[in-house]
């Protein structure tokens, strides 16, 4: 059965694939859209979550749930973990979650305005255009992403470095002409994974500066940040907003949720972000793969967030509000305060992705950097040079620049 909206993977060996490596005891089994229905899903919390989230996409294709995500989705089973893989070849207009070109060129161009230095922005834009042309020549999008949940932040299950290396070996053997990428790695959060993948030959290439809230720590923040959060939360009562959970939402709210996400993440930030469809929201509500909360006033939903938790970390791939409401009302401030409150209640570290740097710092967030572990050593120089260039530019120039400018 071929899935609607999915790329034809007939060029690849379908059914299952097994690999054993002398250095690993684990066995990796890869499933494509033809074979996954016979898969033995682990009866664990992570296994049940993976099935609820991934099975609909395997059946009907990713574009039914994220309209700008075109990819071949595979599942890797290793021990009691199910890990999604995405396989791409070109797709230069894809959302950045599947497209290195979009991430490092298209999206980067849009974010140059954050520098607020017109001459520097113009020069960097020209440089990015030249680099982008070269990247297309080197087939930068011929890539397999490992643990790709197609979200801005891919949280990792309790995966060991040994399991990550075993996955790398299995994917390398099946896709020898593709670059292999593990996104959303932070050395402070994933020391074992980053160390083992680096030892296995991966490059750690910076992707973005992120912000982490130690909201689970009773001593989180300082007096100023705690005062700001208290003031932000008090805006709910001041403006007559009710903080509601998904039990207070119905199917009639789904189009509004999609609209609120679009107003912030797409129209204000970038259309290169995943473009969630109503079906994605409906599936999240039905399965609980995202915990949805919102701000409602006089029956109207004006802000929404959807988060999930894994391995002690919490993140919010769904976040949006009505940007037509005057900024003085403080919808973003209210929703952010409620989000941090949820992290405290759950006892989780809150991964707040990128953006709104000063706002997050003022409220106790700590900046860190997120990396992609990239394996390209098996490829000829003509395919590798762009990754080597990104490694040099971003580690030696990009990261120091972002640290100094506190972006």
């Amino acid at each position: 059965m071929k899935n609607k909206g999915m790329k034809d993977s007939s060029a690849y060996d379908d059914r299952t694939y097994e690999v054993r490596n002398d250095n690993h005891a684990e066995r990796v089994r890869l499933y494509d859209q033809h074979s996954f229905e016979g898969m033995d899903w682990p009866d664990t919390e992570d296994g049940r979550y993976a099935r609820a989230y991934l099975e609909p996409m395997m059946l009907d294709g990713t574009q039914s749930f994220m309209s700008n995500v075109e990819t071949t989705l595979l599942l890797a089973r290793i021990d009691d973990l199910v890990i999604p893989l995405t396989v791409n070849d070109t797709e230069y207009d894809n959302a950045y979650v599947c497209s290195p070109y979009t991430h490092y060129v298209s999206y980067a161009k849009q974010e140059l305005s954050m520098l607020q230095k017109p001459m520097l922005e113009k020069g960097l834009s020209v440089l990015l255009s030249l680099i982008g042309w070269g990247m297309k020549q080197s087939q930068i999008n011929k890539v397999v992403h490992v643990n790709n949940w197609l979200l801005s932040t891919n949280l990792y299950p309790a995966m060991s470095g040994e399991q990550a290396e075993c996955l790398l070996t299995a994917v390398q053997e099946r896709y020898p002409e593709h670059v292999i990428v593990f996104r959303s790695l932070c050395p402070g959060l994933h020391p074992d994974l980053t160390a083992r993948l680096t030892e296995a030959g991966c490059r750690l290439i910076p992707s973005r500066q992120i912000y982490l809230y130690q909201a689970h720590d009773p001593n989180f923040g300082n007096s100023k940040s705690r005062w700001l959060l208290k003031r932000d939360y008090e805006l709910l009562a001041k403006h007559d907003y009710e903080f509601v959970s998904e039990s207070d939402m119905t199917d009639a709210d789904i189009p509004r949720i999609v609209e609120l996400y679009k107003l912030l993440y797409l129209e204000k930030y970038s259309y290169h972000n995943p473009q969630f469809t109503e079906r994605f929201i409906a599936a999240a509500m039905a399965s609980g793969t995202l915990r949805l909360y919102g701000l409602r006033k006089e029956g109207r939903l004006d802000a929404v967030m959807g988060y999930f938790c894994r391995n002690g970390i919490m993140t919010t791939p769904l976040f949006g509000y009505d940007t037509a409401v005057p900024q003085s009302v403080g919808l973003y401030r209210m929703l952010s305060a409620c989000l941090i409150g949820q992290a405290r209640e759950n006892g989780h570290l809150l991964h707040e992705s990128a953006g709104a740097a000063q706002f997050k710092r003022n409220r106790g967030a700590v900046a860190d950097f997120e990396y992609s572990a990239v394996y390209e050593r098996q490829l000829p120089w003509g395919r590798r040079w762009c990754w080597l260039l990104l490694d040099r530019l971003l580690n030696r120039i990009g990261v120091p620049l972002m640290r100094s400018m506190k972006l």
Side-chain angles (χ1 to χ4, degrees):
M1 178 180 65
K2 185 176 176 182
N3 300 337
K4 301 175 184 176
M6 295 190 72
K7 291 176 54 188
D8 183 4
S9 63
S10 59
Y12 306 117
D13 175 32
D14 53 22
R15 305 304 168 191
T16 60
Y17 177 88
E18 295 181 17
V19 61
R20 282 187 180 275
N21 184 281
D22 292 340
N23 298 322
H24 305 286
E26 300 93 348
R27 183 173 70 174
V28 175
R29 187 178 287 263
L30 301 182
Y31 296 84
D32 65 11
Q33 66 265 39
H34 302 294
S35 59
F36 88 97
E37 291 184 30
M39 177 177 171
D40 178 23
W41 294 88
D43 187 20
T44 63
E45 183 178 355
D46 275 341
R48 290 186 291 272
Y49 181 90
R51 183 170 193 173
Y53 185 89
L54 296 169
E55 190 172 47
M57 294 187 191
M58 292 294 289
L59 288 169
D60 296 324
T62 55
Q63 288 183 289
S64 297
F65 301 87
M66 304 168 193
S67 60
N68 64 335
V69 174
E70 181 184 0
T71 191
T72 296
L73 181 63
L74 280 76
L75 304 178
R77 171 75 190 263
I78 178 168
D79 300 331
D80 285 335
L81 300 178
V82 175
I83 305 297
L85 313 177
T86 58
V87 184
N88 285 88
D89 291 290
T90 52
E91 298 83 39
Y92 293 110
D93 294 325
N94 238 354
Y96 82 91
V97 297
C98 280
S99 168
Y101 178 87
T102 303
H103 185 128
Y104 289 110
V105 180
S106 305
Y107 208 135
K109 279 187 176 182
Q110 291 187 345
E111 292 193 321
L112 289 176
S113 59
M114 294 170 59
L115 297 172
Q116 297 183 341
K117 294 185 177 181
M119 292 301 294
L120 179 59
E121 292 168 25
K122 184 175 181 180
L124 289 175
S125 180
V126 172
L127 178 61
L128 283 170
S129 294
L130 290 172
I131 292 173
W133 179 84
M135 285 179 171
K136 286 185 177 181
Q137 306 310 305
S138 67
Q139 299 176 281
I140 191 172
N141 272 14
K142 192 172 180 120
V143 62
V144 179
H145 283 95
V146 181
N147 194 52
N148 191 5
W149 298 82
L150 306 174
L151 302 172
S152 54
T153 301
N154 291 316
L155 296 185
Y156 281 76
M159 181 194 300
S160 69
E162 188 177 13
Q163 288 172 317
E165 187 175 353
C166 194
L167 282 167
L168 175 64
T169 301
V171 176
Q172 180 190 352
E173 290 192 13
R174 181 164 180 180
Y175 297 99
E177 296 184 359
H178 284 67
V179 175
I180 304 164
V181 178
F182 290 71
R183 282 183 57 234
S184 304
L185 286 170
C186 178
L189 300 178
H190 314 103
D192 185 34
L193 295 180
T194 52
R196 192 63 177 257
L197 289 171
T198 301
E199 290 171 5
C202 290
R203 300 177 183 276
L204 289 184
I205 299 180
S207 54
R208 57 181 183 163
Q209 186 163 247
I210 59 171
Y211 292 90
L212 305 174
Y213 287 90
Q214 302 282 347
H216 58 303
D217 185 341
N219 299 316
F220 161 71
N222 54 32
S223 57
K224 179 183 177 182
S225 64
R226 288 191 289 270
W227 175 78
L228 285 171
L229 287 170
K230 182 174 181 292
R231 188 186 67 174
D232 293 344
Y233 193 81
E234 289 172 349
L235 290 173
L236 275 78
K238 179 179 178 181
H239 296 289
D240 297 321
Y241 275 100
E242 181 184 4
F243 184 53
V244 299
S245 68
E246 59 193 19
S247 63
D248 300 302
M249 300 179 191
T250 67
D251 290 348
D253 290 309
I254 291 176
R256 178 62 170 169
I257 293 171
V258 172
E259 179 188 18
L260 293 173
Y261 172 81
K262 178 181 177 181
L263 289 171
L264 180 65
Y265 256 74
L266 305 184
E267 293 187 359
K268 186 173 180 179
Y269 294 153
S270 174
Y271 275 86
H272 296 309
N273 285 306
Q275 297 174 19
F276 298 139
T277 66
E278 291 187 14
R279 186 170 179 188
F280 176 87
I281 304 301
M285 291 178 69
S287 65
T289 50
L290 288 182
R291 301 181 193 178
L292 298 173
Y293 289 85
L295 301 179
R296 197 187 291 278
K297 181 178 181 178
E298 298 175 352
R300 181 181 175 87
L301 199 63
D302 280 347
V304 67
M305 65 182 184
Y307 67 81
F308 70 107
C309 308
R310 172 162 291 173
N311 201 21
I313 303 174
M314 170 178 157
T315 194
T316 50
L318 177 67
F319 201 89
Y321 61 88
D322 192 336
T323 54
V325 174
Q327 191 173 358
S328 58
V329 173
L331 284 173
Y332 181 79
R333 292 159 59 191
M334 286 185 262
L335 197 61
S336 296
C338 291
L339 173 61
I340 294 172
Q342 287 292 299
R344 282 175 171 162
E345 287 185 21
N346 289 322
H348 283 73
L349 180 147
L350 175 59
H351 188 310
E352 262 274 70
S353 278
Q358 195 57 50
F359 177 92
K360 293 172 182 176
R361 288 176 189 270
N362 287 343
R363 285 154 181 80
V366 176
D368 207 336
F369 275 86
E370 197 172 74
Y371 295 80
S372 290
V374 177
Y375 189 88
E376 34 63 44
R377 293 175 183 267
Q378 80 282 17
L379 300 175
W381 173 253
R383 292 280 315 282
R384 296 180 61 197
W385 71 265
C386 58
W387 295 102
L388 275 65
L389 179 64
L390 284 171
D391 187 355
R392 301 293 190 275
L393 285 177
L394 294 174
N395 277 304
R396 297 182 182 181
I397 300 174
V399 169
L401 180 65
M402 293 184 73
R403 285 191 194 278
S404 65
M405 300 187 71
K406 297 185 177 181
L407 295 175

